[in-house]
Amino acid sequence: MKTKFFIPFLLLMSSILFSQNSNINKENGVANYGYDVVSYFSGKPQPGSVKNTVKYQGADYYFINPENKARFQKEPVKYLPQYGGYCAFAMGDYGKKVQVDPKTYKITDGKLYLFYNKFLTNTLTSWNKDEHNLTIKADMNWKKLTANK
């Protein structure tokens, strides 16, 4: 029962502390904490390198090698995390942009979803309990948040 109230509290605090006006979760212009978004699809997210950088939609994306960089350049939308790289659970449950742990992810129907995983709270666990409904709500919330930008 404590978890039911603890998760919303942590997500609220995280969204207040780390809220951004951008529709892409980035720090110092770098998206996805520097992790190679293509590497998720091979089963192991890995930090990319500034040597293999692509600027896309106002953010820098790092890749582990020229091959992943080329894959992204060919089909960027295929590899981009949903909801701008913000926490999928928070977007579905609260409609808020919340930071993520880039190593906590799930790929469903070819789409990359990232999740908050800090302070004993892993929102991927909550997402898995009601993924279908949370995805619908997250899609609607994301459309509302990005409609005016």
Side-chain angles (χ1 to χ4, degrees):
M1 191 65 152
K2 290 180 185 178
T3 305
K4 185 177 182 178
F5 297 104
F6 189 62
I7 290 173
F9 174 75
L10 282 177
L11 291 172
L12 176 63
M13 293 308 296
S14 178
S15 67
I16 291 169
L17 292 173
F18 300 108
S19 65
Q20 299 181 12
N21 291 329
S22 173
N23 287 332
I24 299 174
N25 188 358
K26 60 186 175 182
E27 187 174 307
N28 298 321
V30 178
N32 208 48
Y33 302 89
Y35 275 73
D36 177 341
V37 293
V38 175
S39 70
Y40 288 89
F41 292 86
S42 63
K44 185 176 182 204
Q46 298 179 49
S49 168
V50 71
K51 293 186 296 185
N52 297 302
T53 301
V54 173
K55 186 171 246 359
Y56 184 77
Q57 295 182 338
D60 291 332
Y61 289 85
Y62 293 172
F63 300 92
I64 59 173
N65 55 42
E67 293 79 20
N68 280 10
K69 177 181 175 181
R71 285 184 188 105
F72 180 81
Q73 288 175 308
K74 186 176 178 185
E75 297 180 273
V77 174
K78 175 180 179 178
Y79 298 105
L80 290 174
Q82 300 301 294
Y83 320 120
Y86 291 102
C87 177
F89 175 80
M91 188 56 59
D93 209 36
Y94 306 100
K96 301 286 183 192
K97 294 177 184 176
V98 172
Q99 298 301 310
V100 298
D101 173 353
K103 295 178 188 174
T104 306
Y105 73 100
K106 182 172 188 177
I107 296 175
T108 302
D109 296 329
K111 295 179 180 180
L112 173 61
Y113 297 89
L114 301 173
F115 300 90
Y116 177 91
N117 186 3
K118 296 178 186 161
F119 307 115
L120 304 174
T121 302
N122 182 344
T123 60
L124 175 56
T125 304
S126 300
W127 176 266
N128 285 334
K129 291 177 184 174
D130 193 17
E131 182 174 8
H132 177 75
N133 289 319
L134 286 166
T135 302
I136 292 168
K137 288 168 55 178
D139 289 347
M140 290 180 355
N141 289 336
W142 185 247
K143 283 181 186 173
K144 286 181 206 171
L145 283 174
T146 59
N148 298 326
K149 294 184 180 186

